[in-house]
Amino acid sequence: MSLLVVLPDEPAGLVLPEALAQALSGAGLDVLGLADCGSFARQVEALAPRQALICLPLVTPALLDALRTWSGQPPCALSLASAPLSGVGHEELIGLGVHAWMQIDALDAGSLAALTARAQARWQREAALRTELESLRTRMDERKWVDRAKGLLMSARGIGEDEAFGLLRGAAMHANLRLGEVSRSVIEAAQWADAINRAGQLRMLSQRLVRVAAQLLGGIDAQRARVLRTQSSERVQQNLDHLAALGLGGAGIEALAQAQAAWSGLADALTAKPTAAGLADIDRRAEVLLAAAEALTEALETSGARRALRIVNICGRQRMRAQRLAKDALLAAALKEEAASARLVPTMAEFEAALLELERTPLSTAEIRAALASARDEWLRLVGGVQALDSADGRATLVRSSEALLDTFERLTASYEHSLQVIMS
């Protein structure tokens, strides 16, 4: 067995005493190196001995400091030969990882062989117990993730526990991963999908709040508009608070901070009495929030590193486009804004292109296809409202259809978010 021998520090350098050398040789032990208390821990790390034999007349503070390096779990067996120890001193050394002790003046080949064998056996037993404990902790941790993933699948897909477990087990076998790893990935995918959905809602809400302000200025269903303004404002704050609690990193933190700052500016503007000038200011501030929410959504999609999450983002953006189209149409009618009028055609083209992509996506289910068909019909009504903007009926249709499309794409986004392909991506 290879040993690192720890000796008292000597000004002239460390020298193995002749008697100790003979005892080690007689016990069949090889000296890998020598160390004093100051270099003890470093030498153990550098030489990786099977055991360290500490031969000190007295236990010194320097030795105790060295032993504390490993917090009671040294990387090799430790045996100590020293002067007699008090009960308290013996307990302290055991707590610091010393596995066997004997009186230093009784050292000989036989006692040294017994000492090191006892230390090695105890260290191996402790190492085996630590491995078993770590394995138990790993299994318990995996069970926690598996139970959470099963619950998520059962809730999202409306399936039983056995079917949910079968999905997880099949995915683990297909990916050649542990069941716990797959389960944890399922939970993380669901969290990323929810975060992208919430960040995407901020885009929609920025446009909805301007549309509602335009309704109030134009006297279009004013009572309902005031309710929507309050609900939308509360929803923005709730989503920002939820995203802030996720502990985002890097680009996500910066994008969230920009969104929070943009919302602060918009929230202040919304409290003023509706006027034409105030509506234009609200729209400018909402555009800042829209840009910040877009950057935040893109940062979350990139951080999620799952291509399937893109469909959640595409669908969620349709909510914003429906609100943006209605907002710009009302601004064009109320304020004669050329910029708002200029945005109508590009927004309609973007909405149509995204709707076609969603209709062609392989993630569709019967439920999703039915919702997309309903969205197509409502979209045509919204376009009709834009074309009949000069009439009160056209403006009312515009508001109703934009809200109906919002509700439809809220459900669709949730369906994609909870789809098996996204959850198991």
Side-chain angles (χ1 to χ4, degrees):
M1 181 189 299
S2 61
L3 294 178
L4 173 68
V5 180
V6 181
L7 301 170
D9 186 16
E10 295 290 346
L14 298 176
V15 178
L16 191 65
E18 181 64 27
L20 180 56
Q22 291 179 359
L24 288 166
S25 178
L29 301 171
D30 298 323
V31 177
L32 190 60
L34 303 178
D36 57 21
C37 293
S39 63
F40 176 24
R42 292 194 304 274
Q43 289 286 72
V44 168
E45 299 296 331
L47 300 176
R50 292 192 63 193
Q51 187 171 154
L53 171 63
I54 307 166
C55 295
L56 297 177
L58 296 174
V59 174
T60 64
L63 173 62
L64 298 177
D65 289 341
L67 293 174
R68 291 189 183 102
T69 301
W70 300 299
S71 302
Q73 295 184 13
C76 67
L78 302 180
S79 53
L80 170 66
S82 71
L85 300 170
S86 66
V88 173
H90 190 264
E91 289 296 324
E92 182 179 16
L93 288 166
I94 290 176
L96 291 173
V98 174
H99 300 95
W101 171 86
M102 68 172 293
Q103 195 164 317
I104 194 168
D105 57 12
L107 273 179
D108 57 31
S111 61
L112 194 54
L115 174 72
T116 53
R118 189 165 64 251
Q120 194 68 29
R122 288 179 178 173
W123 181 81
Q124 289 174 342
R125 184 166 62 251
E126 290 179 6
L129 289 173
R130 284 195 297 270
T131 299
E132 183 179 352
L133 179 60
E134 185 61 31
S135 176
L136 179 60
R137 287 173 175 167
T138 299
R139 290 197 299 272
M140 291 178 65
D141 186 61
E142 286 191 347
R143 178 62 181 270
K144 176 188 69 175
W145 287 109
V146 170
D147 286 345
R148 288 182 60 188
K150 284 194 302 184
L152 187 150
L153 289 170
M154 291 165 65
S155 174
R157 305 300 303 161
I159 58 179
E161 183 176 359
D162 290 343
E163 187 177 354
F165 183 75
L167 287 171
L168 292 172
R169 184 173 56 188
M173 293 175 63
H174 178 74
N176 195 27
L177 294 171
R178 294 177 64 89
L179 186 61
E181 292 177 291
V182 169
S183 299
R184 185 165 186 162
S185 294
V186 165
I187 298 298
E188 290 174 350
Q191 289 174 338
W192 281 117
D194 176 65
I196 288 171
N197 187 3
R198 287 176 178 270
Q201 288 173 20
L202 297 176
R203 298 176 302 201
M204 173 273 293
L205 292 166
S206 72
Q207 303 303 290
R208 188 193 210 187
L209 284 165
V210 185
R211 192 212 78 201
V212 167
Q215 282 184 239
L216 289 171
L217 182 63
I220 305 170
D221 197 3
Q223 184 176 357
R224 173 63 176 163
R226 282 190 287 269
V227 172
L228 287 178
R229 181 177 61 183
T230 300
Q231 292 176 344
S232 298
S233 297
E234 292 175 349
R235 191 170 168 187
V236 170
Q237 191 59 59
Q238 289 168 358
N239 284 354
L240 288 172
D241 292 342
H242 179 87
L243 292 169
L246 292 180
L248 305 176
I253 292 178
E254 182 179 353
L256 178 60
Q258 292 176 352
Q260 290 169 327
W263 167 238
S264 179
L266 176 57
D268 291 340
L270 290 171
T271 60
K273 183 178 179 180
T275 64
L279 182 57
D281 181 55
I282 288 172
D283 187 37
R284 285 192 295 272
R285 293 174 185 268
E287 289 299 301
V288 176
L289 177 57
L290 173 60
E294 188 68 69
L296 176 58
T297 307
E298 294 297 333
L300 290 171
E301 184 180 336
T302 301
S303 299
R306 290 175 170 88
R307 287 177 297 176
L309 296 184
R310 180 174 176 270
I311 200 69
V312 177
N313 194 357
I314 292 173
C315 189
R317 192 178 278 114
Q318 292 292 75
R319 300 172 297 193
M320 178 274 291
R321 290 188 178 118
Q323 297 301 300
R324 186 174 181 79
L325 184 63
K327 176 209 76 171
D328 282 338
L330 292 176
L331 289 181
L335 305 181
K336 307 303 180 183
E337 276 197 3
E338 293 184 4
S341 297
R343 287 195 297 261
L344 293 176
V345 172
T347 300
M348 286 191 284
E350 291 169 1
F351 190 102
E352 179 65 29
L355 185 55
L356 283 172
E357 183 174 357
L358 291 172
E359 288 171 339
R360 295 168 180 168
T361 181
L363 296 184
S364 294
T365 62
E367 176 188 7
I368 288 175
R369 286 192 292 273
L372 286 171
S374 174
R376 170 66 69 180
D377 293 339
E378 199 62 59
W379 167 239
L380 295 176
R381 281 190 283 273
L382 178 60
V383 172
V386 173
Q387 294 171 343
L389 194 57
D390 292 337
S391 69
D393 286 345
R395 291 190 291 272
T397 297
L398 187 78
V399 170
R400 286 195 301 270
S401 293
S402 67
E403 280 299 301
L405 277 172
L406 172 58
D407 290 341
T408 298
F409 279 100
E410 287 276 54
R411 294 193 303 273
L412 272 168
T413 304
S415 294
Y416 283 121
E417 180 185 340
H418 297 145
S419 70
L420 190 62
Q421 292 92 331
V422 168
I423 293 173
M424 301 296 287
S425 62

